[in-house]
Amino acid sequence: MPFVNIRIVKQVIEHDPEGIKETVQTAITNSLSEAAGIPKENVWVTFDEVDETDWFSGGERVKELRAKS
């Protein structure tokens, strides 16, 4: 039984968290089910929302990186 844990920056999905999670989990569930030949019911997907001030990349807070882009 595949277990997929997705960590995502909370602020990236704040405009529609439920809709975005539903879209992502559906795509992942369908892909794993098809690729592994297993029932969709056997694919588990969870989400961990991380605040942009608690996530770093290359030694810099994601909050600052997002502000630059």
Side-chain angles (χ1 to χ4, degrees):
M1 178 176 312
F3 181 92
V4 180
N5 180 256
I6 300 166
R7 290 188 181 104
I8 192 162
V9 174
K10 185 185 327 183
Q11 289 78 6
V12 170
I13 64 169
E14 68 187 352
H15 65 282
D16 183 18
E18 290 184 24
I20 293 170
K21 289 177 186 178
E22 181 64 31
T23 299
V24 170
Q25 77 80 19
T26 298
I28 289 170
T29 298
N30 290 340
S31 294
L32 273 173
S33 174
E34 192 174 310
I38 58 174
K40 291 179 184 180
E41 300 79 34
N42 289 352
V43 179
W44 293 22
V45 180
T46 64
F47 291 86
D48 292 329
E49 294 181 37
V50 181
D51 193 87
E52 65 187 0
T53 60
D54 296 330
W55 196 318
F56 294 80
S57 178
E60 197 167 354
R61 286 187 194 274
V62 168
K63 181 176 183 174
E64 282 79 34
L65 293 172
R66 291 184 69 228
K68 291 178 185 177
S69 62

